[in-house]
Amino acid sequence: MELKDPASYTDLAQGKIKHINFRIVVDFSTRMLEIEANYQMQEPVHGSLYLDSFKIDLKQARMNGLELEWEFDARDDILGERLHLKGLDGDSTFTLMFHASPEARALQWLNAAQTAGGKSPFLYSQCQAIHARSIFPCQDTPSVRFTYSAEVEVPQGLIAVMAAEQVEVRDGTGHGYATLFRFKMPQPIPSYLFALAVGNLVFREFGPRTGIYAEPEIIEAAAWEFAENEIKMNEAEKLLGPYLWGRYDLLVLPPSFPYGGMENPRLTFLTPTSILGTRGQTSLITHELAHAWTGNLVTNATWQDFWLNEGWTTYAESRITEVLEGKDVEDLRAAFSEKQLIAVMERIGMDSPHTCLKLPGDEKDADSFTTIIPYYKGCFFLKECEYAVGRKRFDAFIQKYMASFQFQSLTTEAFLDFLKAELPEVFEKVNVHKWVYEPGLPEEWHRPKSHLYDEVQEVLHDYEQGMRPAQQQVQDWHRFQNFSFLQGWPEKIPTEDCQYFEDILELEKRNDAGYYSFFYATCIASGYEAVLPRVEQFMGEIGRMLYILPIVRAMIEADWSRGYIRPLFEQVRGRHHQITVYAIEGLLKRAGL
Ligand code: BES
Ligand code: ZN
């Protein structure tokens, strides 16, 4: 099948990468990775091979001991450089020697002061969506899968982890008393699931298949927060089938990590803002764990099909949450999600093609069109499919879907073909075309109903009539009731109410950055200028984009704060991952700032 991924230079007609053998030296002093990579193709290649790369400093390309001719022959700000290997003569292996740039977009190099311990430097990668190419030249499209092995050399005292199986640790060998870690990833993965981190890490085991890595200063808290992961895995397997990746561990990163979590295989990367001391945000793990099936096992073929990853994962997350936390909680989360979904659709325009599940085909900047729409709209669509045939049949369908497409990448169209073959009644009862290919939301669907959510709406209604709630009314609320309350506030409120709500919701005591994301956005819109130093601190510390981008948007929108945002950003940009810097820069540029 002819498949074009607008986010990659890959030409599938040239062949596909099958396996890569890496030798990586991590150099904190130059902030570079020195890499020798040996590539094996599925089949012999004749003539040219195009690989994606981004600021890669290529030193040498060899095949069979001979120099291979190469050239960076196309350039683009987003796609990076096309590496054109020339004159391949029916060979299927070649070796590249190169450096990943200190400006590699996937990598964040942190100095010791930016870590919990404050004593050792830290490095981590974030390859989704199209940043693997800044670490190594590759066919950086989710439609190509490869296995790999890696040897990683790090300064003595530091620990290297990868989203792969650790096979050996050798201390004190190599040059300069380095430690050598060896890994293998025997299951084929798309490039965006390649992941590496290095730092002062310790490990705690939860159960036979699960554990957690974190800096020693936070390992206790982290291990307590997620101690129930083994149970979670068992629930996930009931819904989705056997877990095929071996272990499932977590890695807690420094707070600048741009996402809540990243589903790197065998090793989910995690924001420390998920450690609340209450086990109140473990649905984040449910989500990343579900990706081990929906995303990692069955993968979107292009970023236009991103809803296949995130919509399916959000659906699985909701099913598992229903079992682990009860239907009331899941209904509440669904009602909140619907509100969020509509708010985002209204912001970008109800008739914008970016509100379709299948995204417009001419977009190459896969990160910049990431919104929550494929998550929630995708999830609600799959729930409609479930309602159409009943849970029992839909559950059988899920298992068959996973088993039929495991370790494959598929397009929305291939998915719909499968759905039609397996569950034709869905197409009679659900307007599939409208859900998938048309913007906004259909008029009629099973919208979420939640009495816990309605309770909050009553309090909000009273507030709009001039009645502020008393602390007793809100003190026992579920985390998602608090979210629904913060989300439902009028756009602007009196500044003394900002203070009042912060008190009665006990935001400070709860120390949940998610609340502060909503709270600060409303404070800013309300002209509560005294909050600015705290916003500055928040923006300097926390990288999770879901939390900080709404604050940036609020600061751009309000007249009083607009002049502050650019200087504030310049002050904190050095502390953030380049993905975050790029996203904020994009918002500011679009606002002419
Ligand atoms: N895979 C995503 C993160 C991602 C999306 C990285 C797009 C790069 C491009 C991850 O599974 C995710 O969705 N994380 C969410 C948390 C989730 C519970 C909604 C996040 O980061 O907030
Ligand atoms: Zn996800």
Side-chain angles (χ1 to χ4, degrees):
M1 187 190 56
E2 178 76 31
L3 180 94
K4 188 68 203 123
D5 179 350
S8 171
Y9 287 119
T10 299
D11 178 353
L12 291 178
Q14 296 172 335
K16 288 183 183 180
I17 296 172
K18 182 180 179 206
H19 181 85
I20 308 177
N21 192 4
F22 296 99
R23 207 163 127 56
I24 303 174
V25 177
V26 179
D27 188 343
F28 279 96
S29 66
T30 58
R31 299 196 154 187
M32 281 196 294
L33 299 179
E34 290 170 31
I35 303 181
E36 182 176 322
N38 179 254
Y39 296 72
Q40 210 177 310
M41 303 296 293
Q42 299 276 8
E43 268 144 31
V45 182
H46 298 275
S48 293
L49 180 66
Y50 300 152
L51 298 177
D52 295 301
S53 73
F54 185 89
K55 295 194 178 173
I56 293 282
D57 180 9
L58 184 61
K59 307 283 187 197
Q60 208 182 55
R62 278 199 322 247
M63 169 181 286
N64 279 337
L66 297 174
E67 293 262 338
L68 200 59
E69 207 190 320
W70 56 270
E71 183 188 6
F72 290 112
D73 65 353
R75 284 196 162 70
D76 180 280
D77 282 350
I78 293 153
L79 298 187
E81 296 82 42
R82 181 170 81 174
L83 173 57
H84 183 169
L85 300 177
K86 298 178 180 178
L88 288 103
D89 192 15
D91 292 285
S92 51
T93 63
F94 58 90
T95 301
L96 302 180
M97 319 243 271
F98 54 92
H99 289 175
S101 158
E103 290 158 51
R105 224 178 237 166
L107 300 175
Q108 189 180 12
W109 298 85
L110 296 135
N111 56 41
Q114 292 169 284
T115 65
K119 285 186 226 85
S120 311
F122 203 104
L123 164 71
Y124 71 90
S125 67
Q126 166 59 45
C127 289
Q128 195 182 11
I130 57 167
H131 308 303
R133 66 190 68 179
S134 71
I135 303 180
F136 57 100
C138 57
Q139 293 173 313
D140 200 4
T141 165
S143 57
V144 172
R145 309 180 81 99
F146 58 91
T147 55
Y148 71 86
S149 51
E151 251 182 53
V152 183
E153 196 180 299
V154 304
Q156 206 174 35
L158 297 184
I159 300 290
V161 290
M162 288 193 86
E165 182 185 343
Q166 192 191 84
V167 286
E168 195 191 344
V169 183
R170 241 188 293 154
D171 234 328
T173 56
H175 52 268
Y177 305 105
T179 314
L180 198 73
F181 291 82
R182 285 184 48 236
F183 302 92
K184 67 169 188 208
M185 174 39 87
Q187 292 93 345
I189 56 148
S191 53
Y192 79 90
L193 293 177
F194 176 95
L196 167 73
V198 181
N200 179 23
L201 295 169
V202 288
F203 178 72
R204 276 296 159 79
E205 199 163 78
F206 296 136
R209 289 190 292 180
T210 53
I212 187 163
Y213 291 91
E215 288 189 68
E217 292 73 16
I218 56 171
I219 189 76
E220 282 307 328
W224 183 84
E225 196 84 22
F226 305 113
E228 289 158 353
N229 274 6
E230 197 76 36
I231 304 170
K232 203 158 255 193
M233 276 193 88
N234 295 336
E235 276 316 316
E237 284 189 306
K238 280 187 211 159
L239 181 71
L240 297 157
Y243 181 77
L244 297 177
W245 301 90
R247 294 195 57 84
Y248 180 66
D249 295 321
L250 305 178
L251 168 66
V252 183
L253 293 166
S256 62
F257 185 53
Y259 294 98
M262 176 63 212
E263 66 271 25
N264 295 316
R266 298 175 65 99
L267 186 65
T268 281
F269 282 25
L270 207 60
T271 173
T273 64
S274 60
I275 303 169
L276 301 175
T278 59
R279 296 186 178 162
Q281 212 186 147
T282 63
S283 61
L284 179 69
I285 311 291
T286 313
H287 178 96
E288 304 312 334
L289 173 60
H291 270 308
W293 290 263
T294 51
N296 299 3
L297 205 54
V298 180
T299 307
N300 52 207
T302 73
W303 300 113
Q304 274 59 38
D305 307 298
F306 186 53
W307 80 274
L308 283 179
N309 276 18
E310 297 299 345
W312 263 108
T313 297
T314 306
Y315 173 82
E317 176 192 349
S318 88
R319 290 290 305 275
I320 297 166
T321 302
E322 189 180 312
V323 176
L324 295 177
E325 298 180 42
K327 187 153 175 7
D328 277 354
V329 168
E330 184 38 42
D331 290 345
L332 168 63
R333 283 165 32 100
F336 169 79
S337 307
E338 186 203 356
K339 253 300 178 43
Q340 286 290 90
L341 174 60
I342 291 169
V344 173
M345 284 183 166
E346 279 171 350
R347 175 161 57 76
I348 63 179
M350 272 295 176
D351 50 7
S352 158
H354 286 100
T355 66
C356 299
L357 285 180
K358 176 84 179 191
L359 289 165
D362 49 355
E363 295 273 7
K364 53 188 178 182
D365 190 355
D367 277 349
S368 81
F369 61 71
T370 301
T371 69
I372 59 158
I373 293 169
Y375 292 68
Y376 297 145
K377 186 179 177 182
C379 173
F380 290 136
F381 165 58
L382 292 168
K383 285 188 179 180
E384 289 301 296
C385 298
E386 180 202 314
Y387 293 132
V389 296
R391 187 163 274 192
K392 203 161 161 243
R393 285 193 60 206
F394 199 67
D395 283 358
F397 169 76
I398 296 172
Q399 299 248 346
K400 188 157 181 197
Y401 174 45
M402 290 299 125
S404 307
F405 293 98
Q406 63 179 40
F407 299 112
Q408 292 176 41
S409 306
L410 85 167
T411 59
T412 298
E413 292 65 36
F415 169 71
L416 293 180
D417 285 347
F418 184 72
L419 182 65
K420 190 147 209 168
E422 295 295 320
L423 299 173
E425 306 93 294
V426 165
F427 289 76
E428 288 155 26
K429 296 190 185 153
V430 180
N431 191 339
V432 174
H433 190 271
K434 200 171 176 78
W435 275 99
V436 176
Y437 294 104
E438 291 180 31
L441 283 165
E443 286 83 53
E444 269 189 55
W445 58 291
H446 299 76
R447 297 184 48 194
K449 288 194 193 73
S450 157
H451 68 93
L452 294 175
Y453 184 80
D454 292 344
E455 215 175 89
V456 175
Q457 299 312 304
E458 270 167 41
V459 174
L460 282 168
H461 179 79
D462 289 348
Y463 176 55
E464 273 170 41
Q465 307 302 310
M467 274 175 288
R468 292 202 306 200
Q471 177 151 28
Q472 303 88 279
Q473 278 175 280
V474 305
Q475 66 188 6
D476 295 325
W477 272 355
H478 186 273
R479 182 166 184 262
F480 272 87
Q481 284 183 296
N482 289 334
F483 275 137
S484 305
F485 184 59
L486 290 160
Q487 174 202 54
W489 285 357
E491 219 172 280
K492 294 180 190 176
I493 63 175
T495 55
E496 60 276 15
D497 285 3
C498 293
Q499 288 165 9
Y500 177 75
F501 286 138
E502 186 175 17
D503 284 344
I504 66 163
L505 293 169
E506 301 185 302
L507 296 190
E508 227 155 357
K509 192 175 104 192
R510 292 178 206 262
N511 191 29
D512 183 333
Y515 293 147
Y516 275 106
S517 173
F518 281 101
F519 179 71
Y520 287 145
T522 304
C523 290
I524 292 160
S526 306
Y528 183 15
E529 300 192 19
V531 92
L532 194 60
R534 292 164 66 195
V535 170
E536 280 173 7
Q537 203 197 344
F538 189 86
M539 293 278 304
E541 235 165 68
I542 290 176
R544 187 172 181 185
M545 290 196 285
L546 187 71
Y547 289 171
I548 60 174
L549 297 187
I551 296 175
V552 175
R553 280 193 202 97
M555 284 190 75
I556 290 171
E557 261 158 45
D559 287 335
W560 76 270
S561 53
R562 196 168 305 124
Y564 289 114
I565 181 66
R566 171 57 77 178
L568 165 57
F569 173 55
E570 294 305 329
Q571 194 187 312
V572 301
R573 71 184 293 156
R575 280 178 255 165
H576 286 289
H577 192 287
Q578 299 186 67
I579 292 175
T580 318
V581 170
Y582 186 76
I584 297 179
E585 193 67 75
L587 289 180
L588 297 185
K589 284 219 178 98
R590 258 169 274 145
L593 293 165

